[in-house]
Amino acid sequence: MGSCHIAHDCKIGNNNIFANNTLLAGHVMVEDYVHTAGAIVVHQFCHVGSFSFIGGGAVVSQDVPKYMMVSGERAELRGLNLEGLRRRGFTVTEIRSLRTAYQKIFMRVSANPMGFEDRLDKVEQDEELGLVPAVSSMIQSIRGSFAENRRGICKFRQWTGS
């Protein structure tokens, strides 16, 4: 759409929708089927995963993992891009598995004091979730964001159930 800016050395996948005033700094990588709302900014060297959604006015300064929805002045994870997944033909079973994995990784309950890396390992080793390709892809996307010379993922709120 209008007034978008894609800076030098960006890599843009297929079937993306960039709303008005989407600004991508240099060396940003955007995978496939990403949707942005208006007036968003993505910091240089960030990676935006497939099927993700960036809410209007967001400033993205860290990676957005696959299938995630982020928003806010300093973008935070807000959950899965459920509507985008439905529209792209993900099955109910795949979406349910992604939702369960997301909850186990990001919604730590106070009764479960496991660290972030331990929660990722637990989901990866889960008998059911570990066999779902979309879940494996999401975990790989998260782990890749912590690789050398990467920025980590957008912040997420710890959920305590209260």
Side-chain angles (χ1 to χ4, degrees), residues 73-88:
E73 185 178 324
R74 287 285 175 212
E76 292 182 347
L77 294 180
R78 302 294 184 180
L80 294 170
N81 180 17
L82 296 174
E83 188 57 38
L85 296 175
R86 283 187 205 104
R87 288 180 182 173
R88 295 304 327 151

Side-chain angles (χ1 to χ4, degrees), residues 120-137:
L120 280 174
D121 289 340
K122 187 173 181 178
V123 169
E124 228 171 9
Q125 295 164 5
D126 186 281
E127 290 179 8
E128 292 178 21
L129 296 175
L131 299 175
V132 179
V135 172
S136 297
S137 184

Side-chain angles (χ1 to χ4, degrees), residues 30-101:
V30 180
E31 293 182 1
D32 301 330
Y33 298 100
V34 171
H35 187 127
T36 70
I40 69 107
V41 177
V42 180
H43 191 279
Q44 65 184 2
F45 296 103
C46 285
H47 190 127
V48 182
S50 296
F51 305 98
S52 60
F53 177 83
I54 302 174
V59 176
V60 178
S61 59
Q62 292 179 290
D63 291 357
V64 178
K66 285 184 177 185
Y67 316 122
M68 304 288 170
M69 181 172 47
V70 299
S71 67
E73 185 178 324
R74 287 285 175 212
E76 292 182 347
L77 294 180
R78 302 294 184 180
L80 294 170
N81 180 17
L82 296 174
E83 188 57 38
L85 296 175
R86 283 187 205 104
R87 288 180 182 173
R88 295 304 327 151
F90 281 69
T91 66
V92 171
T93 303
E94 288 173 311
I95 292 172
R96 193 172 291 138
S97 296
L98 284 166
R99 179 180 269 167
T100 300

